[in-house]
Amino acid sequence: MTLPAGKEAAPPRAFPVQGFAVIIFFVLIGLYSADRFLANLQRRELDVEGRRLYAAGQKLLADGQADQAVDALIRARALDRSNRTYAIALASAQMAAKQTDAARGTLTEILQQDSNYAPANLLMARIMAGEQRFKEADSYYHRAIYGLWPANQSQERLDARLEVADMLAAHGGSYELLSEALLLQNTSGNDPAILKRVAALLMKAGSPDRAAAVYQSLLRLTPKDVDAYLGLARAHMLTGDYRAAHLALVKAFVHNPNDVALRREMGLAGKLMSLDPTSRYLSSAEKLRRSSTILSLVCDDISACLATKSAPLDVRQALDDAHQMLGEKIRGIPTNEMAEARLSMAERLWANRALVCASAPDPSDPAVLLLKKINQ
């Protein structure tokens, strides 16, 4: 195109620098958004796959296929190593598959990140208990009880306390068991099932008086519970209250008159009542009769052991002295001193029982229960 004379062509208009900056900005925003979108999409896909593998692992574990469960859960955890639910599930599967060292490693990694994480402490306690490292197991159990649960789950804390109590009942000391049983009692919430376990633990801890109180509380909640009556009766027997034991058994018998075990326990309680030399208002003659019967029971027990095992001379001499005492004809009026002499002889013989008897006596043996009460 020819321009008119005297006019020159205008130079091309330059694109503003600010315009380029705006375009670049929006391009970068678009690229960032696309990158974020793809990353989120990938993350969602990985999450879906992780959940699928976790569910598959849990099902395999429930079906008893622990080794296959471990494989699935290892893959799930590889997709999300920050997911402690996957890690705990993996450790559980490893324990079920007898891969103890692997489970210990998984749990150690969790506890290094958070030593108060309760589920990991609970599983580590079970590993230690399984290896008979009971002191260390006790420490991990208590970290589980007082540690952090994912949803502050009180039931899991209670279950952990029940586990440590059961461990102490089997392998711990009476004092530690008594402490745990009392704490369980305070957190039982009057749950009959928990109270029944607490009472049994108290009996195991050597505190039948406390156990009797718990059984009585239990029977106020479940007045037809025959097992609770039986437990109460046994607690009363250990405290020497044979009359109360017999009464508890009678009440149980009313609810279950066909129970053979109850009949047997009632017979034992009746025998203890008839032999108790500490009962009030006994005549001297009756106390002597009961004391002589107790000494005779002890002599029979020791003699049965001597049939299969030799005994030190002093034990044989004591047994001969006891038989001579029992064979003596009572002249004159029976006295309290005569009864006490027989009881002292019975205690002397019983104190040496372990020297001649290979096995411990039956805890329900009348001689055991009566001599325990006499010593008290």
Side-chain angles (χ1 to χ4, degrees):
M1 176 177 178
T2 303
L3 294 172
K7 290 191 177 182
E8 297 181 0
R13 296 179 65 184
F15 195 83
V17 174
Q18 294 88 342
F20 280 115
V22 170
I23 292 172
I24 292 172
F25 174 76
F26 281 109
V27 168
L28 291 175
I29 289 293
L31 291 173
Y32 175 78
S33 298
D35 184 65
R36 291 284 295 181
F37 172 78
L38 292 173
N40 289 335
L41 181 61
Q42 184 182 34
R43 181 69 264 170
R44 285 195 296 272
E45 290 175 349
L46 292 176
D47 286 344
V48 170
E49 180 64 7
R51 288 194 295 270
R52 185 191 69 79
L53 289 168
Y54 170 75
Q58 292 291 77
K59 186 177 187 306
L60 287 166
L61 187 59
D63 292 341
Q65 302 179 57
D67 290 324
Q68 294 91 323
V70 168
D71 293 339
L73 291 165
I74 285 176
R75 292 163 59 197
R77 191 176 181 224
L79 296 175
D80 187 357
R81 294 193 67 81
S82 65
N83 191 316
R84 290 192 292 196
T85 299
Y86 293 174
I88 291 296
L90 173 58
S92 298
Q94 289 167 330
M95 290 169 65
K98 309 300 182 185
Q99 300 176 19
T100 306
D101 289 338
R104 194 195 325 273
T106 301
L107 295 170
T108 298
E109 185 176 336
I110 301 171
L111 292 172
Q112 284 175 343
Q113 298 171 358
D114 184 356
S115 61
N116 289 322
Y117 190 59
N121 279 295
L122 180 59
L123 292 183
M124 190 68 89
R126 290 171 180 168
I127 289 177
M128 295 298 168
E131 296 175 345
Q132 298 190 347
R133 296 161 64 179
F134 301 117
K135 187 174 181 179
E136 293 167 89
D138 182 82
S139 178
Y140 279 109
Y141 270 123
H142 282 91
R143 289 179 198 167
I145 292 168
Y146 298 109
L148 300 174
W149 288 91
N152 194 28
Q153 296 158 337
S154 58
Q155 184 60 48
E156 279 73 6
R157 295 178 193 277
L158 179 60
D159 290 343
R161 195 175 288 285
L162 286 167
E163 278 193 39
V164 71
D166 288 340
M167 182 190 75
L168 291 172
H171 306 288
S174 296
Y175 178 80
E176 292 81 3
L177 177 57
L178 176 60
S179 177
E180 286 298 331
L182 292 174
L183 287 169
L184 268 172
Q185 183 180 356
N186 291 335
T187 58
S188 66
N190 285 330
D191 182 332
I194 301 300
L195 286 175
K196 190 173 290 189
R197 292 183 67 176
V198 168
L201 291 168
L202 288 169
M203 292 281 281
K204 183 77 174 180
S207 186
D209 51 343
R210 288 189 174 95
V214 174
Y215 277 123
Q216 287 165 343
S217 298
L218 176 60
L219 285 166
R220 284 193 287 271
L221 297 170
T222 56
K224 296 183 179 180
D225 190 332
V226 172
D227 289 336
Y229 278 116
L230 184 56
L232 177 61
R234 289 172 177 168
H236 282 317
M237 285 184 196
L238 290 175
T239 61
D241 194 344
Y242 307 131
R243 190 172 299 279
H246 191 267
L247 178 60
L249 290 166
V250 169
K251 290 180 178 178
F253 190 73
V254 169
H255 297 296
N256 192 2
N258 298 318
D259 193 318
V260 176
L262 279 178
R263 289 179 180 272
R264 186 167 55 248
E265 293 284 341
M266 288 176 68
L268 173 61
K271 186 172 185 177
L272 292 169
M273 288 172 62
S274 69
L275 290 178
D276 184 3
T278 68
S279 294
R280 293 183 179 181
Y281 312 120
L282 288 179
S283 66
S284 295
E286 178 61 16
K287 182 173 181 179
L288 179 60
R289 183 193 70 79
R290 296 184 181 199
S291 301
S292 297
T293 303
I294 292 170
L295 178 56
S296 180
L297 289 173
V298 172
C299 287
D300 290 345
D301 183 84
I302 299 294
S303 297
C305 293
L306 288 176
T308 58
K309 185 177 180 180
S310 61
L313 183 60
D314 56 341
V315 177
R316 287 188 174 277
Q317 183 60 55
L319 185 61
D320 290 341
D321 292 344
H323 281 134
Q324 181 178 351
M325 181 179 287
L326 289 170
E328 290 177 353
K329 186 175 180 179
I330 303 299
R331 293 181 173 84
I333 299 174
T335 64
N336 187 66
E337 287 72 19
M338 293 177 183
E340 290 296 333
R342 283 160 172 73
L343 292 177
S344 295
M345 179 62 74
E347 291 180 272
R348 176 185 167 191
L349 273 173
W350 198 258
N352 291 292
R353 185 186 186 280
L355 297 176
V356 295
C357 296
S359 59
D362 187 336
S364 63
D365 187 319
V368 174
L369 296 167
L370 289 164
L371 287 170
K372 181 178 180 180
K373 182 176 182 180
I374 292 167
N375 285 328
Q376 290 173 342

